[in-house]
Amino acid sequence: MHMINFKNFSGEALIEIIDKAIEIKNNPENYREALDGKSLAMIFQKTSTRTRVSFEVAMTQLGGHALYIDWRTTNFTIADIYDETQYLSRNVDCIMARLKKNADLQVMAEASQVPVINGCDEKYHPTQAIADLMTMKEKKGKLKGLKLVYIGIHNNVCNSLIEGCTKTGVKIITVTPIFNEPSRDNDLLNEAKRTGLYETTLDVKQAVKDADFVYTDTWVDMEFFLDPKYKKEKERRMKIMMPYQINRELLKGSNAYIMHDMPIHRGYEISSEMIESPQSIIYEQSENRLYSAKSILLKLLGKC
Ligand code: CP
């Protein structure tokens, strides 16, 4: 079983992973040898802090081993992804890959003899969404009936949140004046709409009313953030998005918890003041990447 997105996961399966993550967080000593002798290959075409650290530490704390592989130093750069993955998957028990293109990840999944986990591509970020839902369940003791408002660019994180929320009974409203076209998955959006739990609007003030959680993400994808060729598009986005910044004014009268998957760009998608506010659960959310990584690994390796 791979985790490319949540298409092959039922709501019950997602809840099982989320609940196990909470259980592991509370009882880490029970899992110290759960992946004894197992290896995880972590291969990155893009930068990462949380995804790399959480999966590497997760493997160590579960008694296994993780290999960090920088794509640029491998022969993936000069050979077929299919052939290189055939080899790689004969030496490890699981692969976690952060690739630029979902199409390449699909090739990897097809070639692999072992589970492949999507560490974030242009369409999905499923491991982030598991940590997000775990954090929400910890805060409220349930998922069904909660309301999350995502404010930002419609992107990979947004897709996985929509999929994860609607499968676990959470209402999700997106306020996304810009749609990152490479992330488009109309099947995912249509499926989410059919549940009656997904809506999209530009009325941000109305959307945040009664929200349990308000969530934002970067307005510029990580691979473009420092790219001078992307400067004009970055400026265009800032102009359109500034009225949608999460700040004191936007959240006046709201008790919603504030979420962000990080890395944060202070003063852009969120004001510094709101990152530090008592409503912010951003750092807990990022810490939960560790426990959710453990739970995902155990599930995909058939250990729970
Ligand atoms: N949220 C997230 O995936 O963080 P990194 O890009 O640092 O891994």
Side-chain angles (χ1 to χ4, degrees):
M1 186 203 292
H2 303 302
M3 185 182 272
I4 305 300
N5 47 42
F6 295 141
K7 286 182 185 170
N8 296 325
F9 289 80
S10 64
E12 291 73 27
L14 294 180
I15 288 167
E16 203 181 290
I17 296 171
I18 292 157
D19 288 346
K20 177 62 80 175
I22 295 170
E23 213 277 309
I24 294 170
K25 182 175 181 177
N26 293 329
N27 303 287
E29 66 284 355
N30 292 346
Y31 298 89
R32 282 205 182 117
E33 291 170 13
L35 293 185
D36 185 26
K38 303 287 183 196
S39 293
L40 169 73
M42 310 191 303
I43 188 154
F44 285 86
Q45 273 185 339
K46 300 195 276 183
T47 56
S48 170
T49 307
R50 278 143 292 275
T51 306
R52 177 186 174 178
V53 171
S54 59
F55 274 89
E56 190 162 340
V57 174
M59 282 305 286
T60 303
Q61 293 185 358
L62 293 171
H65 172 246
L67 305 83
Y68 171 75
I69 305 171
D70 180 340
W71 180 271
R72 293 166 304 176
T73 65
T74 69
N75 284 334
F76 273 95
T77 54
I78 57 167
D80 278 1
I81 292 175
Y82 189 91
D83 297 333
E84 290 296 284
T85 305
Q86 279 280 351
Y87 160 73
L88 184 63
S89 68
R90 283 168 162 77
N91 280 259
V92 297
D93 302 284
C94 189
I95 297 171
M96 189 272 287
R98 172 169 285 190
L99 304 189
K100 290 179 186 165
K101 291 191 186 143
N102 179 261
D104 288 342
L105 194 74
Q106 298 284 359
V107 172
M108 196 175 254
E110 196 192 327
S112 180
Q113 311 286 307
V114 298
V116 173
I117 299 169
N118 184 354
C120 187
D121 59 27
E122 87 283 21
K123 287 190 185 296
Y124 316 108
H125 198 353
T127 65
Q128 178 65 52
I130 295 287
D132 300 338
L133 290 162
M134 173 194 172
T135 310
M136 291 158 68
K137 186 150 191 189
E138 272 190 321
K139 286 290 156 199
K140 294 284 191 179
K142 62 173 189 174
L143 287 174
K144 205 165 177 206
L146 297 180
K147 176 180 164 186
L148 179 141
V149 178
Y150 174 91
I151 304 168
I153 308 275
H154 190 114
N155 60 11
N156 43 11
V157 168
C158 183
N159 274 341
S160 289
L161 269 177
I162 290 170
E163 210 179 15
C165 284
T166 54
K167 284 195 169 204
T168 57
V170 177
K171 184 175 175 90
I172 176 164
I173 299 178
T174 62
V175 183
T176 52
I178 296 175
F179 201 113
N180 244 5
E181 280 305 321
S183 75
R184 186 173 287 283
D185 181 342
N186 286 334
D187 288 345
L188 180 151
L189 299 180
N190 290 335
E191 191 58 42
K193 273 183 196 143
R194 271 195 285 276
T195 66
L197 291 170
Y198 164 52
E199 286 171 26
T200 186
T201 177
L202 288 181
D203 189 344
V204 67
K205 276 278 179 200
Q206 183 63 30
V208 299
K209 272 189 193 155
D210 305 327
D212 297 295
F213 299 90
V214 171
Y215 194 123
T216 191
D217 185 19
T218 182
W219 293 337
V220 179
D221 278 357
M222 60 179 81
E223 63 265 49
F224 302 122
F225 203 81
L226 300 173
D227 185 348
K229 292 202 288 291
Y230 206 73
K231 189 168 176 274
K232 269 212 167 114
E233 174 60 11
K234 199 170 151 185
E235 282 165 7
R236 184 186 79 87
R237 287 186 175 205
M238 299 304 163
K239 213 164 154 192
I240 295 171
M241 295 305 299
M242 221 51 201
Y244 298 89
Q245 182 193 63
I246 293 190
N247 55 34
R248 182 183 289 280
E249 174 59 26
L250 183 76
L251 292 190
K252 207 188 295 178
S254 165
N255 292 320
Y257 287 114
I258 298 166
M259 302 180 76
H260 190 308
D261 56 305
M262 302 181 80
I264 300 167
H265 300 108
R266 285 175 179 255
Y268 292 96
E269 67 269 13
I270 184 167
S271 66
S272 281
E273 180 187 28
M274 297 319 276
I275 298 163
E276 313 296 342
S277 88
Q279 282 169 260
S280 169
I281 52 169
I282 293 171
Y283 300 131
E284 282 170 79
Q285 179 189 357
S286 63
E287 180 190 335
N288 282 341
R289 290 294 305 273
L290 173 62
Y291 317 111
S292 52
K294 288 185 185 182
S295 183
I296 291 164
L297 287 164
L298 292 178
K299 176 75 177 172
L300 295 195
L301 291 175
K303 296 291 179 183
C304 64

